[in-house]
């Protein structure tokens, strides 16, 4: 059409650029596996403790009073997703470095395909979708996982578009869908606890989509969506609170309900 500017880069060129970035990131990992960050180290200590006989999500440490004995405690400072997926790959016979390489490559692919699916569902053109993917992937936060594995952040990045896509497709919010979305929300939280915030934003987009479909009128369907969305969020938040109450965490002692502003913000 006359007057419509043509993109500087074609869609195929963007696809080739993104594929090249994937190849370079993978080659960098093959040259030297990703390093591990302090948070991910703590998760792998839990994994090693479980390999040594500790209960699920428990960390072993030396008893300072009797150094020949071990103490064990439930680890609630971090959610288990950051170490369970690499651990599952490692159980197939790979070492930790190889597991991180395979997991990062798989998560990259899963995340990119999820964002492409989400962008197309939201109505963006093919060019805008691929340009957005290239822009997202090539920022240091994502491509940088070829050098350092920070923990659940990468899992959360890849899981979010699939959760949001499903939430938007299930915006009729029937009771069966509510239970499934609550379970999916909990999966995201146990990959990374900050998914509580990102998942809430996805649920907010469901409300906005319903409101737009009603021509921005507060119809019965729109009003009923508020308690239903609240049910999903509060159910997932309760699951996270129950998890953190099972052990020591930045929230302090083992309590299911937290009232101080510092605890709530955490």
């Amino acid at each position: 059409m006359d007057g419509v500017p043509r993109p500087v880069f074609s869609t195929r060129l963007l696809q080739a650029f993104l594929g090249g970035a994937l190849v370079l990131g993978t080659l960098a990992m093959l040259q030297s596996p990703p390093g591990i960050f302090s948070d991910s180290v703590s998760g792998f200590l839990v994994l090693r403790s479980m390999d040594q006989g500790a209960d699920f999500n428990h960390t072993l440490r030396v008893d300072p009073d009797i150094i020949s004995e071990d103490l064990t405690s439930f680890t609630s400072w971090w959610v288990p997703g950051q170490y369970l997926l690499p651990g599952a790959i490692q159980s197939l016979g790979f070492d930790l470095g190889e597991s991180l390489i395979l997991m990062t490559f798989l998560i990259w692919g899963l995340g990119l395909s999820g964002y492409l699916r989400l962008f197309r569902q939201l109505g963006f053109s093919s060019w805008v979708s691929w340009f957005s993917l290239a822009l997202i992937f090539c920022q240091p936060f994502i491509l940088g996982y070829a050098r350092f594995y920070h923990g659940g952040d990468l899992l959360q990045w890849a899981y979010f578009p699939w959760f949001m896509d499903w939430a938007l497709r299930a915006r009729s919010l029937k009771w069966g869908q509510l239970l499934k979305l609550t379970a999916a929300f909990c999966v995201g939280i146990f990959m990374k606890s900050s998914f509580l915030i990102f998942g809430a934003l996805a649920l907010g987009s469901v409300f906005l989509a319903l409101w737009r479909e009603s021509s921005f009128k507060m119809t019965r369907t729109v009003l009923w969506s508020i308690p239903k969305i609240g049910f999903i969020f509060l159910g997932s938040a309760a699951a996270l609170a129950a998890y953190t109450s099972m052990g020591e965490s930045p929230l302090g002692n083992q309590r299911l309900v937290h009232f101080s502003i510092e605890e709530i913000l955490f």
Side-chain angles (χ1 to χ4, degrees):
M1 296 178 61
D2 294 337
V4 177
R6 300 185 63 182
V8 177
F9 307 108
S10 67
T11 301
R12 289 188 179 276
L13 185 59
L14 288 171
Q15 292 170 343
F17 177 80
L18 183 59
L22 273 169
V23 170
L24 289 176
T26 304
L27 290 175
M29 289 191 294
L30 293 174
Q31 181 71 23
S32 176
I36 49 180
F37 194 62
S38 57
D39 284 1
S40 52
V41 167
S42 300
F44 291 132
L45 285 175
V46 179
L47 183 63
R48 187 179 70 173
S49 297
M50 291 165 57
D51 289 339
Q52 294 174 345
D55 293 334
F56 174 75
N57 205 49
H58 280 67
T59 303
L60 292 174
R61 65 181 188 276
V62 175
D63 187 337
D65 297 323
I66 308 175
I67 61 173
S68 61
E69 301 290 336
D70 288 329
L71 296 177
T72 181
S73 60
F74 186 86
T75 303
S76 58
W77 275 65
W78 298 274
V79 291
Q82 63 167 325
Y83 68 82
L84 283 180
L85 186 54
I89 297 176
Q90 191 176 5
S91 67
L92 299 177
F94 299 98
D95 62 32
L96 182 58
E98 293 168 342
S99 300
L100 291 178
I101 292 173
L102 286 171
M103 191 206 69
T104 302
F105 181 78
L106 292 173
I107 293 300
W108 276 347
L110 182 65
L112 290 172
S113 60
Y115 281 103
L116 180 62
R117 178 184 174 92
L118 177 62
F119 294 155
R120 298 310 298 269
Q121 189 206 148
L122 293 174
F124 292 105
S125 67
S126 177
W127 187 89
V128 170
S129 298
W130 282 101
F131 179 80
S132 300
L133 286 181
L135 190 64
I136 291 171
F137 182 74
C138 292
Q139 61 179 304
F141 178 74
I142 305 302
L143 191 56
Y145 279 104
R147 307 312 313 135
F148 285 98
Y149 176 66
H150 291 265
D153 303 87
L154 180 63
L155 305 180
Q156 176 180 246
W157 170 79
Y159 185 72
F160 175 77
W162 292 99
F163 176 81
M164 187 166 180
D165 177 75
W166 187 24
L168 289 172
R169 292 177 186 273
R171 60 180 176 268
S172 58
L173 296 178
K174 297 179 181 179
W175 288 108
Q177 293 172 327
L178 288 182
L179 296 176
K180 292 176 181 178
L181 281 173
T182 303
F185 202 140
C186 289
V187 170
I189 287 175
F190 286 95
M191 290 182 180
K192 181 74 175 178
S193 58
S194 59
F195 190 80
L196 186 69
I197 299 172
F198 292 96
L201 294 175
L203 294 178
S205 69
V206 172
F207 172 80
L208 292 176
L210 290 171
W211 193 25
R212 186 189 65 178
E213 289 174 356
S214 65
S215 300
F216 299 103
K217 297 178 181 179
M218 297 304 291
T219 62
R220 183 177 180 180
T221 299
V222 175
L223 290 174
W224 264 111
S225 70
I226 297 175
K228 290 180 178 180
I229 290 173
F231 171 85
I232 299 171
F233 177 79
L234 292 176
S236 304
L240 178 60
Y243 174 83
T244 58
S245 71
M246 295 174 66
E248 296 180 356
S249 75
L251 298 181
N253 56 10
Q254 300 179 5
R255 290 183 289 125
L256 181 60
V257 181
H258 308 277
F259 294 103
S260 73
I261 186 63
E262 293 84 1
E263 293 172 333
I264 293 172
L265 288 175
F266 170 78

